[in-house]
Amino acid sequence: MISAVNLTQRYGKRVLFDKINITLDAGKRYGLIGANGAGKSTFLKILSGELEQTDGEVQLQAGVKLGVLSQNQYAFEDYTLKDAVLYGNKKLFDATKEKEKLYMEGDFESDEVNNRLAELEMICADEDPTYESDVRIEKLLESLGFPASEHDSLMSSLTGGDKFKILLAQVLFLKPDVLLLDEPTNNLDIETISWLEDELKRHEGTLLVISHDRHFINGVVTHILDLDFAQIREFVGTYDDWYIAATLISKQAQTDRAKGLKEKDELEKFIARFSANASKAKQATSRQKQLDKLEIQEVKLSSRRDPSIVFRPHRDIGNEVLDIENLSHSYDGNAVLQNINIKVKKGDKIALIGGNGVGKTTLLRILMGEIVPTSGKFVWGQTISYTYFPQNTTDIVTGEDVLPQWLQGHDPKWHIDDIRKCLGRMLFTGEEQTKKISACSGGEKHRLMISKMMMDSANFLVLDEPNNHLDLEAIISLGEALHEYQGGVICVTHDRELIDSFANRIIKLNSDGSMIDFEGDYEAFIEAHGH
């Protein structure tokens, strides 16, 4: 349905991809994976026509509807939620709005007005033959957590995360033949991600999605496109299937290379030994011909790099960890937290979950002393030292310091060698360590904050959506680090694979102010309580 032909993208001397030839077929759902900076979003933007490629072309089958998830959350501030979703089908939106205006202001004695109304009715019938667009918009909005009473509210009244949900509804409403989605799970809670999975599984056209949510990718895609070495390789199956296949291919390449090098060595030894011997000269010449024909493939190292995250507490955690008693908080009279009671025990690794707006971040900020609760109290144990990954890390990691300076600014006693080793663990090597904070991407700032947490050597970790901006390899490494960690954890995340990797206690905050406190892993929680 959509093809890339000899597609090349360069920025100066840097080649993101080179002469890519691939066709995305109808009925297939592709997950595009690759290291941060490999060019995934660039490739998607070129397919959508948002970016101009250096060379090659994109071919879209005639008559095919292309749908792209917009990233501009503020493009529809003066639209109602319903109209912003309807805008997903621009043709239907324009015809509907013109028709409404003519019915309100038009001169029905005029043939011109009546003829135009007839044309508009035909356009609406073509774009919405079952006349179900209103019902579909209502269902989409309600599924994303917007009750009917809010459908006529203006987009300007929503938070950034909720605006993004409307953009998601907008592109789904179009029912495009080719659907391109870049990080569609950002700002979505677990329940909404599950709903989106089901929606995308029912998509009848072509789907190309970029996501760092491994569970989501595994649940949705039928094929993996691996962007590496400036090329795209296609694999049938899920992310986990790709991982097994890619590992086997890499090991086989290494085995073939080792075999080739051994054969080369044996041929060279034979030639060196017998080339001067008249009776063996013919054999030596034959072996030289073999050697000349021997091709030993270089084994390319993947552009992916796995960080090495290790949290080592400077002291053991005591039996008294954290007591939260009757904690409540309100913003301008609107209750967010109501009588929260939690006793955190030694060994607890808690995943704090719940829909957007239920107070998860507020609770963490209270525990970190950033907000004074409206009522109630909390007490940390005397042995506890905590370190914090805030949700707004990208906004607060700022300045003109180079990376080691920024870290040392948090504790002058930290030795510069230890800081450099820690940065190296988080993939800041060589010259990358001389980069200024202001030049860092969102993903780099998140890796830097994790570096700080590693240097803190605390025995309790408080994390608020640390997986945002991290690639799959970093999220997997973080999950392993939290699993191995010998201290306590409270982590807010919507990434189910991350929760599965470390959590032994699930606390869910509900929108009605109630709370579920479940001892056990996430799988057991789902069995007991559903999503």
Side-chain angles (χ1 to χ4, degrees):
M1 291 187 101
I2 188 169
S3 301
V5 181
N6 289 325
L7 206 63
T8 299
Q9 187 70 5
R10 296 187 201 92
Y11 292 105
K13 292 182 179 178
R14 188 175 176 224
V15 179
L16 271 187
F17 33 86
D18 184 38
K19 292 183 180 174
I20 286 176
N21 289 281
I22 193 163
T23 297
L24 307 184
D25 298 321
K28 293 180 180 177
R29 301 188 297 273
Y30 299 89
L32 180 60
I33 64 170
N36 277 353
K40 301 185 296 295
S41 292
T42 301
F43 181 71
L44 192 143
K45 284 175 181 175
I46 289 172
L47 290 185
S48 72
E50 186 182 336
L51 267 183
E52 185 73 26
Q53 63 270 24
T54 306
D55 203 1
E57 62 177 323
V58 174
Q59 296 175 350
L60 186 65
Q61 198 175 315
V64 163
K65 274 196 294 189
L66 180 68
V68 185
L69 176 59
S70 170
Q71 300 295 321
N72 185 357
Q73 298 173 3
Y74 300 97
F76 301 93
E77 294 294 89
D78 297 328
Y79 289 63
T80 65
L81 307 195
K82 282 196 302 190
D83 282 351
V85 177
L86 179 62
Y87 193 89
N89 186 333
K90 184 70 164 54
K91 208 169 177 183
L92 180 60
F93 176 87
D94 288 344
T96 300
K97 291 302 164 187
E98 187 180 346
K99 190 174 71 171
E100 286 174 0
K101 188 175 181 184
L102 283 176
Y103 275 124
M104 285 181 70
E105 302 172 3
D107 176 7
F108 297 110
E109 301 296 319
S110 163
D111 287 344
E112 188 182 345
V113 168
N114 287 317
N115 289 339
R116 182 55 181 160
L117 279 170
E119 289 172 7
L120 293 170
E121 289 290 358
M122 289 293 291
I123 294 170
C124 289
D126 286 343
E127 294 300 315
D128 182 25
T130 58
Y131 293 93
E132 290 181 336
S133 61
D134 286 347
V135 174
R136 177 159 165 73
I137 288 170
E138 285 172 14
K139 282 185 178 176
L140 280 168
L141 288 171
E142 285 172 6
S143 297
L144 287 164
F146 301 100
S149 59
E150 295 178 8
H151 294 182
D152 289 314
S153 301
L154 289 179
M155 285 285 285
S156 56
S157 67
L158 300 183
T159 63
D162 281 346
K163 289 184 209 289
F164 185 82
K165 287 183 181 181
I166 301 297
L167 298 182
L168 188 57
Q170 189 184 77
V171 73
L172 292 174
F173 171 71
L174 177 62
K175 288 191 174 176
D177 302 302
V178 177
L179 179 56
L180 306 178
L181 302 175
D182 191 351
E183 295 289 355
T185 60
N186 280 0
N187 304 300
L188 301 185
D189 56 42
I190 290 174
E191 291 174 15
T192 311
I193 293 170
S194 295
W195 167 83
L196 180 60
E197 274 183 29
D198 293 336
E199 282 283 307
L200 296 180
K201 283 177 193 171
R202 290 195 291 269
H203 181 70
E204 294 176 355
T206 304
L207 170 68
L208 178 62
V209 61
I210 300 169
S211 176
H212 292 149
D213 186 325
R214 184 172 150 200
H215 191 285
F216 175 76
I217 286 282
N218 279 333
V220 168
V221 307
T222 59
H223 293 70
I224 291 290
L225 302 180
D226 180 18
L227 178 51
D228 205 358
F229 313 120
Q231 291 294 314
I232 288 179
R233 289 189 299 175
E234 183 177 336
F235 294 80
V236 177
T238 65
Y239 177 84
D240 287 349
D241 296 328
W242 163 82
Y243 186 82
I244 293 165
T247 303
L248 287 173
I249 289 168
S250 175
K251 285 186 176 175
Q252 186 61 51
Q254 289 171 14
T255 301
D256 290 347
R257 177 172 165 75
K259 191 177 175 183
L261 287 170
K262 185 181 177 186
E263 187 180 349
K264 179 175 181 280
D265 184 55
E266 287 171 354
L267 288 170
E268 285 173 342
K269 283 179 180 174
F270 185 92
I271 292 162
R273 188 175 170 193
F274 294 113
S275 57
N277 186 325
S279 63
K280 298 281 187 179
K282 193 173 180 183
Q283 283 175 283
T285 304
S286 172
R287 297 292 169 92
Q288 183 63 56
K289 286 179 181 176
Q290 275 181 263
L291 183 60
D292 292 341
K293 288 180 184 176
L294 189 61
E295 289 185 13
I296 300 171
Q297 297 293 326
E298 283 296 320
V299 177
K300 293 179 181 176
L301 295 173
S302 172
S303 61
R304 290 179 180 81
R305 296 181 294 163
D306 296 347
S308 175
I309 303 174
V310 181
F311 299 113
R312 292 194 182 95
H314 72 290
R315 65 176 291 182
D316 290 339
I317 201 164
N319 291 323
E320 298 296 321
V321 181
L322 174 63
D323 279 347
I324 301 172
E325 295 179 20
N326 297 320
L327 203 68
S328 297
H329 193 68
S330 300
Y331 291 107
D332 299 323
N334 297 314
V336 178
L337 298 171
Q338 300 175 46
N339 296 320
I340 299 294
N341 288 280
I342 301 171
K343 185 175 179 64
V344 180
K345 306 181 299 297
K346 184 177 182 178
D348 280 348
K349 293 181 179 178
I350 298 167
L352 183 63
I353 65 172
N356 291 336
V358 297
K360 303 183 298 295
T361 294
T362 298
L363 178 57
L364 296 196
R365 292 187 67 197
I366 288 170
L367 297 179
M368 294 298 96
E370 292 185 356
I371 297 175
V372 177
T374 307
S375 62
K377 64 176 184 175
F378 65 94
V379 180
W380 288 99
Q382 288 190 343
T383 63
I384 304 302
S385 61
Y386 52 74
T387 183
Y388 177 41
F389 188 107
Q391 190 184 76
N392 63 336
T393 283
T394 308
D395 298 326
I396 65 171
V397 178
T398 56
E400 296 303 311
D401 283 348
V402 295
L403 307 193
Q405 272 181 326
W406 184 86
L407 277 176
Q408 201 157 39
H410 289 87
D411 190 339
K413 293 194 294 294
W414 289 344
H415 197 281
I416 193 65
D417 288 347
D418 294 330
I419 287 173
R420 292 195 183 282
K421 284 176 189 170
C422 186
L423 287 169
R425 282 180 170 277
M426 291 311 296
L427 309 181
F428 295 108
T429 55
E431 285 188 10
E432 289 177 330
Q433 295 196 6
T434 64
K435 181 183 280 193
K436 289 184 177 181
I437 300 293
S438 57
C440 288
S441 67
E444 287 170 331
K445 288 181 177 183
H446 275 223
R447 284 191 276 126
L448 188 59
M449 183 60 81
I450 291 172
S451 300
K452 177 199 171 290
M453 294 181 77
M454 288 162 61
M455 291 296 299
D456 279 330
S457 302
N459 57 19
F460 200 98
L461 307 178
V462 180
L463 305 108
D464 195 352
E465 302 205 29
N467 47 289
N468 285 353
H469 297 287
L470 296 182
D471 59 21
L472 277 159
E473 288 71 33
I475 294 169
I476 291 167
S477 179
L478 176 62
E480 290 169 353
L482 294 178
H483 175 74
E484 296 295 329
Y485 180 56
Q486 297 301 304
V489 176
I490 295 179
C491 179
V492 173
T493 180
H494 301 307
D495 188 307
R496 289 156 292 178
E497 290 284 343
L498 182 57
I499 293 171
D500 281 339
S501 66
F502 78 90
N504 57 23
R505 183 175 174 185
I506 311 294
I507 295 178
K508 183 180 183 185
L509 302 183
N510 296 315
S511 55
D512 62 3
S514 64
M515 183 182 85
I516 300 171
D517 191 347
F518 182 82
E519 299 273 355
D521 61 22
Y522 187 64
E523 202 171 306
F525 172 83
I526 292 297
E527 285 179 17
H529 298 282
H531 288 302

